[in-house]
Amino acid sequence: MKNRLAVAATLILILGLSPIVLNAGPILQPEHRAAIVADKFYRTELYFGRSIKGGDVVSEEQWRQFLATEVTPRFPDGFTVLEGYGQYRDKSGKITSEPSTVIVFLYPAASKKNSRAKIDEIRAAYVKKFDQESVLRMDFRSPVEVVF
């Protein structure tokens, strides 16, 4: 049941529905829901293409090292990593398909400015380390409601 709840929560996050209330605890009856106070968090997603110029791909070891050195120190409280497959048109007009990884960050409204600066540092580090054109960033303008 917990796996189903986690999958449902992840799908809701991916679809970007707002407001979102996530609760890892038991499902509460309507009369008990009023007692839950949700925190307001902002959400940013980063989309990392894993192809490297010259035909290589960022390996799992390289990716884990990047997470350990660039992402985790900036967001030690956590983040979510989703694996995917993407397609884009590069600067020359060529359509490229590649494996991709998405990181979902949720951070409190009080740390919005600082968190977004850290997210830009992560993007810059990836572009530099793996010679990328860019890392797509998507910020959700309205806060979401989160319950831990």
Side-chain angles (χ1 to χ4, degrees):
M1 183 63 177
K2 282 187 177 184
N3 285 342
R4 287 184 184 168
L5 183 58
V7 169
T10 301
L11 287 174
I12 290 170
L13 283 172
I14 290 170
L15 294 174
L17 302 175
S18 179
I20 300 172
V21 177
L22 302 178
N23 184 349
I27 298 174
L28 301 176
Q29 298 303 316
E31 63 272 12
H32 294 100
R33 289 186 186 151
I36 296 176
V37 177
D39 295 320
K40 297 222 183 270
F41 277 64
Y42 282 89
R43 177 178 171 186
T44 297
E45 295 177 2
L46 294 182
Y47 291 75
F48 299 85
R50 300 282 293 270
S51 294
I52 301 174
K53 291 177 185 171
D56 210 357
V57 176
V58 175
S59 71
E60 280 304 310
E61 178 59 33
Q62 289 171 310
W63 176 252
R64 289 182 201 282
Q65 184 66 24
F66 181 79
L67 287 177
T69 60
E70 300 294 341
V71 182
T72 300
R74 290 178 173 92
F75 289 91
D77 290 341
F79 49 86
T80 299
V81 177
L82 306 170
E83 297 300 327
Y85 186 78
Q87 179 174 298
Y88 72 99
R89 185 184 311 266
D90 67 17
K91 289 180 181 178
S92 71
K94 179 183 170 195
I95 294 178
T96 302
S97 298
E98 65 183 332
S100 61
T101 303
V102 179
I103 300 181
V104 178
F105 299 98
L106 294 171
Y107 44 90
S111 71
K112 179 179 168 184
K113 184 176 180 179
N114 187 40
S115 294
R116 288 186 171 177
K118 290 177 183 179
I119 288 168
D120 275 338
E121 292 170 0
I122 292 167
R123 293 175 69 215
Y126 191 82
V127 166
K128 182 178 179 181
K129 182 170 185 71
F130 298 110
D131 194 21
Q132 301 290 303
E133 281 187 13
S134 67
V135 172
L136 182 122
R137 174 180 174 159
M138 181 168 44
D139 290 304
F140 289 68
R141 291 179 157 219
S142 300
V144 295
E145 295 179 358
V146 179
V147 176
F148 292 100

